[in-house]
Amino acid sequence: MGELAKTSLYERHLALGAAMVAFGGWHMPLQYREGIVEEHLATRTGAGLFDVSHMGRFVVHGAGALPFLQRVLSNNAAALDPGYAQYTMIPDEAGSARDDAYLYRFTAGEYLLVVNAANRQGDLRYLREMLLSFPGARLEEVTETMAMLSLQGPTSRAILQGVTDGGALPEPLKNALATVSIAGSRVLAARTGYTGEPLGFELFLAAAEAPRLWDLLRERGATPVGLGARDTLRLEAGLPLFGHELGSDPAGAAIPIFASPLARFAVSFSPLKRDFVGREALARQFAAYRKIREEDYSLLSDLPRLIMPLALRGRGIARAGCAVFRDGRSAGFVTSGTMVPYRKTEGAGLATRFTGERGMRAIGLMLADSRLKKDDEVDVEIRGTRVPAVVVPFHLRSDAPPHAMPILARPIKEVPLPEAGNWQGKARDLLAKALANTRWRQEECVNLIPSEQTASPLVRRLSVLDPAFRYAEHRSLPSFYDAEVFYYQGTDFIAGVEELLRGEMARYLGCREVEPRVISGQMANAAVYSALVDHLNREDRKAEPRRIRTVLNNHIIRGGHLSAQPMGALRDFVRIDPRHERPAVVNFPVLAGNPFRIDVEAAKQVIAEERPELIIFGKSMVLHREPVKEIRAFLTAQGIETLVLYDMAHVLGLVGPLFQEPFAEGADLVTGSTHKTFFGTQRGIVAANWREEEKRYTLWESVRSRTFPGSVSNHHLGTLLGLLMAVYEMNAFRDPYQRAVLENAKAFAGALSDAGLAVAGDPGISFTETHQVVVTVAYAKGVETARRLEANNIICNYQAAPDEEGFTAAGALRMGVQEMTRFGMGPDDFRELAGYVREAITGRAVKEEVIAFRRRFRELRYCFAAEEFGGLMETLHRMA
Amino acid sequence: MKKAEEIQLPDELRYSVDHEWVRMESGSARIGITDYAQDQLGDVVYVELPSIGARFAAGAVFATVESVKSVSECIMPLAGEVIGVNAALNDDPALLNTSPYGDGWMVLVKPDDPSAGGGLLTAGRYREHLGGAA
């Protein structure tokens, strides 16, 4: 092993009995005593600890750093804000990879580029040569002075949190970075890795300090993992390895970068990159790639083969270099292959559980005919025998944190249609089940879902009267002084109802204009975005319309609702920012000590810098008022023209002096769903307070036209009728209802906290200023806890807290008091309920007690009593 | 990896330089891979065994053993006909790691020359061979 280098952890590896091998010029552990299979599973089950100090590390800084990186790397380094990392290639002019790399920007002033150990010297020579054309840029090698550890797996977060004594871990987003302090060492932490684990960190620190960090992480339960399992883990995750899936193929030919599925993330053609090494070749490959995905093979010669995962169906193991055949004809080569262990599961969906047993499966990656598609059957030649295999889309998924889930190749299952006939029997069955469900939810369960509400007897019965079967499309016509013109006959009644609804809802919200035809809150938001785009382009209908320039919203991990996110209703309406090539959305900063509350001062700075064209307030996990007044004052003082939308979906029923008066505080538009804190029915509204003579009124006209005919044709007249009754009820009972809800929420939060549960929010204000209470249970235990509560007839949501990776990792519960308040529960009743919640969470069965408790609260309050209407109500019962 | 002194080499067996062991059992020879071989391989995940009735010359490849990282061929230590195979290895190849001389045996062979086992190494000689190899 002559001149091999030793990492700062060399002695640790020897002491652990590692089998050491030469790798990329280093003495590295291939495996420790337990072996590759155990190390692989330890990573998937707990946390694997890898010494990856052998990888090449270069720091790039100086005035020319960015232009230099833009030139030599394939990704868009300008997209990298401080605190983020990106996967990238070091391409050659022919569009093949010299190497693949990760670029980290921990601080604004410098970039850290991590490359493969085997390519380190070659990369260094190449980069130094390229550097000559960028006199302002500097590159320093830090491979030997800086160590690199990787901690990967479902418990990695808890382990790292446990040793961190200063600074916060990176946000729960892939590629997020942070600087933390661990036992006196400054550690750069990145949410990156090479295992497919949804939770994992790469850690950089001074080489001399690495052994101590290694020991600390081991003490907390991390399992050392060698290069052997590092390879099986990355293979299972479908991640490319240079020399196998990148570089040269088994026949020695260069592999185009776009053959790799990750190229789409690692290559950017942003105009900000201008010309870069390999651009032309990569653009050709990308064009071919897009055609191939459309099953158009006219450009196949630019990308004849793609990397794709395959799973063996027959006995044997596919190894790198094995030939692949399709219908007897050569179709490519296996680039990586082995047998990997996986954790067996049982159950389906969110109830999927690991059984504790393990299986083995032969999987691989191949470079094969680009015309192959998933589920295609191929043969792999293993020692002269052709073994059947199948093209699979992936071997592992990372979208259910905290666990990476193995995906086994299995035959496509045809879902059979239910048996024909026996229609009456089926009808009886459906009726019986619907009645049982309604009895359970209405009479035996305590409902704490904050987005739900039981409608009053009058509201629900009106909703199924005759208008439920009709159409009443209408729009205003300038020829008739903007009178509403209906397209159907027989609509006078519902036309009058809609007119009354507008007026009563406007009174409730304190505004002039209400559009009640949208049938959900999400549709309300989509109609507003569509209206804004319409409005922005109103003077030029011939050109391609431009989209909303920049949007400021609440991030989904901090409670923002889907309908305000690019992944939800916003997507088609917001432009792609050419700098970072993602939707142009920025998020409200939050207070360091309270992630549920917007940091107003920091938000002002974001607004001044980003100049959003649309600001969206409102959340689905909401404990506080939104700072509408403060932001409006800032906008006015600065003369910044922007549209302020407050999506009040959750808090529409709390509008008023006890909570917030959106228009008095300066919102331009309010949207919302009418069935959460509001009294039902399930619909949405858009509202504004502009006068007809105001400049912005034209936007309101766009809202109207993007509602109808833009979003709805039939606007569900039954629930429209029901909603008018609900607004009457709200206007009649608003003050006592809102008072009771807010008082109950504080009482419930306080009692849950007194019962020993971790209630989120500020204890100084009794945790909540809304109908919601958020309780933290334990990391990734939210789903299980919510299910346990349901088994005890307490229905609530599991909820990912702001520091959690996604809903499957949810460690919190979201509860709302609004519906049970309407059923007559007061503060003392909520205190009693808090006891049942605690007992159910700790595992005691309280179902019977909860049913008995619920029986005390069966009559809906804050609505009109049936007897007030005498004979009319009896008639209604007969007709509805 | 095991240290040299941790390698188990039962005295009653005979060994080949290719890291197979042979146990003579009333005229037939039971054959497997040594503790040293399984330790070097690491986790065995796949074994390809010959068919019953197959005939092999001494030095011929009679089976393939694969670990996560590598593929290794097993060399027949004496000429003969396969009269039994350890089918349990198909379902549980890790038996080669956990019990190389017991449940992890590979084939039972009827030797062409019943005295052929005499040419193989004793445990002591094989250990010396390993010392030289390492």
Side-chain angles (χ1 to χ4, degrees):
Chain A
M1 289 192 177
E3 296 299 303
L4 295 181
K6 295 172 181 170
T7 75
S8 57
L9 296 162
Y10 177 76
E11 299 297 334
R12 294 291 189 279
H13 303 320
L14 293 190
L16 286 162
M20 301 298 285
V21 292
F23 186 84
W26 296 80
H27 280 289
M28 292 302 292
L30 174 66
Q31 61 173 73
Y32 300 88
R33 283 186 167 263
E34 292 299 312
I36 295 172
V37 169
E38 294 302 328
E39 291 169 25
H40 181 116
L41 289 169
T43 306
R44 295 276 182 246
T45 313
L49 178 61
F50 307 71
D51 176 12
V52 284
S53 301
H54 62 303
M55 302 197 76
R57 286 175 293 288
F58 311 135
V59 169
V60 181
H61 61 104
L66 182 59
F68 167 69
L69 294 170
Q70 291 288 55
R71 170 92 195 168
V72 298
L73 302 179
S74 62
N75 212 335
N76 180 11
L80 215 47
D81 288 322
Y84 288 92
Q86 67 183 197
Y87 181 57
T88 191
M89 300 281 172
I90 306 177
D92 62 18
E93 281 296 355
S96 179
R98 287 175 175 278
D99 202 356
D100 63 334
Y102 234 93
L103 185 67
Y104 302 79
R105 193 178 180 199
F106 283 96
T107 56
E110 62 180 42
Y111 297 87
L112 174 65
L113 185 68
V114 176
V115 303
N116 282 299
N119 292 332
R120 171 181 154 211
Q121 302 300 348
D123 288 345
L124 199 55
R125 266 196 306 278
Y126 168 71
L127 294 174
R128 288 208 162 123
E129 186 189 307
M130 296 298 286
L131 209 56
L132 297 176
S133 321
F134 297 86
R138 297 182 190 289
L139 183 147
E140 275 137 41
E141 204 200 345
V142 295
T143 308
E144 291 179 13
T145 53
M146 178 193 261
M148 180 173 176
L149 273 58
S150 183
L151 181 69
Q152 304 279 313
T155 62
S156 61
R157 176 184 190 268
I159 289 174
L160 192 60
Q161 187 67 66
V163 299
T164 298
D165 48 34
L169 295 189
E171 284 197 275
L173 302 167
K174 181 140 182 63
N175 292 330
L177 313 179
T179 304
V180 298
S181 147
I182 299 176
S185 294
R186 178 173 175 268
V187 179
L188 305 177
R191 284 209 185 239
T192 52
Y194 193 45
T195 58
E197 283 298 319
L199 270 67
F201 301 86
E202 288 176 321
L203 308 168
F204 304 87
L205 75 169
E209 297 169 13
R212 200 158 46 119
L213 178 59
W214 174 271
D215 294 342
L216 278 175
L217 297 171
R218 292 244 302 121
E219 279 164 25
R220 296 266 173 172
T223 303
V225 180
L227 293 180
R230 182 167 158 84
D231 189 43
T232 56
L233 288 159
R234 73 90 197 168
L235 172 62
E236 194 181 26
L239 299 170
L241 172 62
F242 188 88
H244 289 253
E245 287 75 35
L246 293 166
S248 301
D249 72 14
I255 302 173
I257 284 173
F258 268 93
S260 172
L262 285 189
R264 283 190 302 133
F265 304 102
V267 179
S268 162
F269 298 104
S270 161
L272 295 181
K273 267 189 83 63
R274 304 215 178 86
D275 194 25
F276 61 94
V277 175
R279 177 177 192 132
E280 206 181 305
L282 288 168
R284 244 188 346 263
Q285 293 172 18
F286 187 39
Y289 174 79
R290 281 186 295 184
K291 287 228 187 278
I292 290 164
R293 300 295 294 178
E294 298 287 330
E295 297 183 29
D296 169 347
Y297 302 117
S298 57
L299 298 179
L300 196 63
S301 59
D302 285 321
L303 202 56
R305 287 172 170 174
L306 295 174
I307 298 289
M308 42 193 111
L310 87 163
L312 252 60
R313 286 226 166 112
R315 276 178 52 79
I317 301 176
R319 300 282 182 178
C322 287
V324 176
F325 296 87
R326 165 74 167 166
D327 298 328
R329 280 192 301 276
S330 170
F333 298 92
V334 173
T335 50
S336 296
T338 186
M339 183 84 91
V340 301
Y342 67 93
R343 305 164 74 192
K344 289 190 175 172
T345 61
E346 62 185 7
L350 270 181
T352 302
R353 289 280 171 274
F354 293 105
T355 62
E357 287 173 31
R358 64 180 61 176
M360 300 293 294
R361 54 182 175 149
I363 59 169
L365 295 170
M366 61 177 175
L367 182 63
D369 190 329
S370 302
R371 290 167 292 193
L372 285 173
K373 291 188 281 293
K374 81 175 170 80
D375 300 324
D376 279 351
E377 289 176 354
V378 294
D379 293 303
V380 180
E381 193 165 275
I382 303 172
R383 292 186 291 277
T385 305
R386 294 202 179 168
V387 178
V390 61
V391 182
V392 294
F394 29 71
H395 299 305
L396 185 86
R397 292 293 295 187
S398 309
D399 41 19
H403 294 284
M405 303 302 293
I407 305 294
L408 307 186
R410 43 183 184 185
I412 300 165
K413 238 193 274 171
E414 293 274 337
V415 181
L417 291 177
E419 237 166 83
N422 185 29
W423 307 115
Q424 200 183 2
K426 287 176 178 175
R428 185 185 311 281
D429 186 48
L430 176 61
L431 188 57
K433 283 181 176 161
L435 288 171
N437 175 257
T438 301
R439 183 164 296 129
W440 180 61
R441 289 299 298 260
Q442 286 287 323
E443 298 176 6
E444 298 177 350
C445 281
V446 171
N447 190 52
L448 296 174
I449 296 198
S451 57
E452 295 178 353
Q453 181 66 267
T454 291
S456 73
L458 277 179
V459 168
R460 66 169 86 176
R461 285 191 176 83
L462 284 176
S463 300
V464 296
L465 288 185
D466 184 81
F469 324 124
R470 307 302 161 204
Y471 271 82
E473 295 158 313
H474 61 88
R475 67 186 305 180
S476 64
L477 214 60
S479 296
F480 305 132
Y481 300 98
D482 288 332
E484 293 296 324
V485 175
F486 282 70
Y487 293 12
Y488 292 83
Q489 295 309 117
T491 55
D492 287 354
F493 168 71
I494 200 69
V497 165
E498 195 178 314
E499 192 56 39
L500 288 168
L501 175 56
R502 285 175 203 282
E504 291 293 338
M505 192 60 102
R507 181 197 319 282
Y508 173 75
L509 293 170
C511 67
R512 292 183 180 81
E513 300 286 352
V514 170
E515 172 53 85
R517 286 177 292 180
V518 284
I519 57 170
S520 72
Q522 165 116 351
M523 184 188 279
N525 282 354
V528 167
Y529 308 145
S530 175
L532 182 53
V533 170
D534 181 65
H535 186 70
L536 293 171
N537 295 281
R538 66 193 180 283
E539 300 309 336
D540 184 1
R541 300 286 185 199
K542 291 179 180 168
E544 189 64 29
R546 83 160 174 92
R547 297 190 283 179
I548 304 169
R549 200 184 306 117
T550 300
V551 175
L552 174 64
N553 70 2
N554 286 301
H555 197 290
I556 193 156
I557 67 172
R558 301 211 176 84
H561 188 255
L562 277 174
S563 62
Q565 310 293 324
M567 71 184 286
L570 189 57
R571 186 175 67 184
D572 297 339
F573 304 105
V574 64
R575 91 185 154 126
I576 297 292
D577 184 324
R579 183 176 71 81
H580 55 61
E581 301 167 274
R582 290 188 305 273
V585 173
V586 289
N587 305 124
F588 277 115
V590 295
L591 291 175
N594 182 359
F596 297 94
R597 184 162 238 164
I598 289 172
D599 180 339
V600 175
E601 291 312 309
K604 289 176 184 173
Q605 212 173 331
V606 171
I607 292 169
E609 279 164 20
E610 301 282 347
R611 299 270 161 166
E613 209 158 35
L614 171 65
I615 295 176
I616 310 173
F617 285 108
K619 300 191 245 199
S620 56
M621 177 170 59
V622 52
L623 297 178
H624 296 289
R625 300 180 185 100
E626 294 278 76
V628 180
K629 198 195 298 180
E630 294 87 337
I631 296 300
R632 171 56 74 191
F634 176 73
L635 294 171
T636 307
Q638 299 288 311
I640 297 172
E641 207 168 310
T642 175
L643 189 71
V644 177
L645 165 67
Y646 189 175
D647 175 358
M648 298 195 77
H650 265 270
V651 292
L652 196 71
L654 302 180
V655 169
L658 296 174
F659 180 66
Q660 274 197 284
E661 295 175 289
F663 290 106
E665 293 180 25
D668 291 308
L669 288 166
V670 165
T671 54
S673 45
T674 49
H675 49 267
K676 296 178 166 68
T677 45
F678 208 80
F679 288 169
T681 49
Q682 291 192 334
R683 302 184 58 87
I685 53 122
V686 187
N689 196 31
W690 296 310
R691 294 169 196 280
E692 254 192 91
E693 59 273 22
E694 277 182 67
K695 180 177 133 201
R696 286 220 166 154
Y697 194 81
T698 52
L699 175 57
W700 180 249
E701 289 169 339
S702 291
V703 169
R704 298 274 290 160
S705 70
R706 294 318 297 158
T707 298
F708 175 82
S711 302
V712 284
S713 160
N714 178 346
H715 55 285
H716 296 193
L717 308 177
T719 55
L720 188 82
L721 175 56
L723 183 58
L724 175 57
M725 182 59 80
V727 187
Y728 284 151
E729 290 173 347
M730 182 55 88
N731 280 337
F733 299 101
R734 172 188 202 156
D735 188 68
Y737 165 70
Q738 292 179 346
R739 247 174 237 292
V741 167
L742 298 174
E743 190 186 353
N744 281 341
K746 285 178 187 287
F748 191 39
L752 289 166
S753 176
D754 292 344
L757 295 172
V759 179
D762 178 1
I765 54 145
S766 309
F767 303 101
T768 176
E769 298 175 307
T770 70
H771 62 304
Q772 288 190 15
V773 177
V774 175
V775 171
T776 306
V777 279
Y779 179 69
K781 294 291 180 202
V783 175
E784 188 187 316
T785 310
R787 198 195 325 260
R788 195 178 305 157
L789 284 165
E790 179 178 333
N792 286 286
N793 282 20
I794 299 170
I795 314 277
C796 67
N797 288 117
Y798 58 86
Q799 170 82 47
D803 62 341
E804 289 163 348
E805 289 81 4
F807 66 92
T808 51
L813 302 171
R814 186 185 67 154
M815 300 186 273
V817 300
Q818 76 295 342
E819 185 168 339
M820 294 315 297
T821 298
R822 274 198 99 196
F823 277 111
M825 280 176 61
D828 283 338
D829 306 315
F830 274 101
R831 287 185 197 108
E832 191 180 339
L833 177 62
Y836 295 130
V837 170
R838 196 195 87 94
E839 294 195 31
I841 288 177
T842 49
R844 195 167 87 78
V846 289
K847 183 172 176 172
E848 293 312 316
E849 287 101 311
V850 171
I851 291 173
F853 176 79
R854 178 64 165 91
R855 291 220 164 102
R856 287 157 46 195
F857 310 101
R858 294 255 296 266
E859 197 185 324
L860 208 71
R861 313 286 177 87
Y862 310 102
C863 59
F864 305 119
E867 47 276 21
E868 295 169 42
F869 305 97
L872 277 177
M873 201 61 200
E874 274 161 45
T875 313
L876 190 59
H877 269 293
R878 273 199 307 279
M879 294 182 79
Chain B
M1 297 289 131
K2 290 186 176 180
K3 298 192 182 89
E5 62 272 20
E6 291 172 329
I7 304 284
Q8 303 288 314
L9 297 175
D11 285 339
E12 68 274 21
L13 305 183
R14 290 294 173 268
Y15 301 87
S16 77
V17 293
D18 303 309
H19 311 295
E20 275 74 38
W21 56 261
V22 178
R23 179 189 286 125
M24 296 308 294
E25 298 174 356
S26 53
S28 7
R30 195 174 297 269
I31 297 172
I33 63 168
T34 66
D35 189 25
Y36 172 81
Q38 72 78 21
D39 186 53
Q40 288 291 311
L41 281 168
D43 298 315
V44 174
V45 292
Y46 181 70
V47 181
E48 205 168 86
L49 294 169
S51 314
I52 290 178
R55 299 192 57 85
F56 293 94
V61 174
F62 73 94
T64 307
V65 174
E66 299 198 38
S67 69
V68 175
K69 284 299 285 182
S70 63
V71 183
S72 301
E73 293 173 333
C74 300
I75 310 295
M76 189 59 95
L78 36 74
E81 179 188 343
V82 176
I83 56 171
V85 297
N86 184 3
L89 293 177
N90 289 333
D91 293 330
D92 191 3
L95 288 172
L96 277 181
N97 295 117
T98 55
S99 179
Y101 303 114
D103 293 342
W105 67 277
M106 294 179 73
V107 292
L108 196 61
V109 169
K110 186 171 167 23
D112 294 346
D113 172 3
S115 65
L120 295 166
L121 306 177
T122 62
R125 294 296 301 278
Y126 177 60
R127 195 179 288 281
E128 281 171 29
H129 168 73
L130 293 181

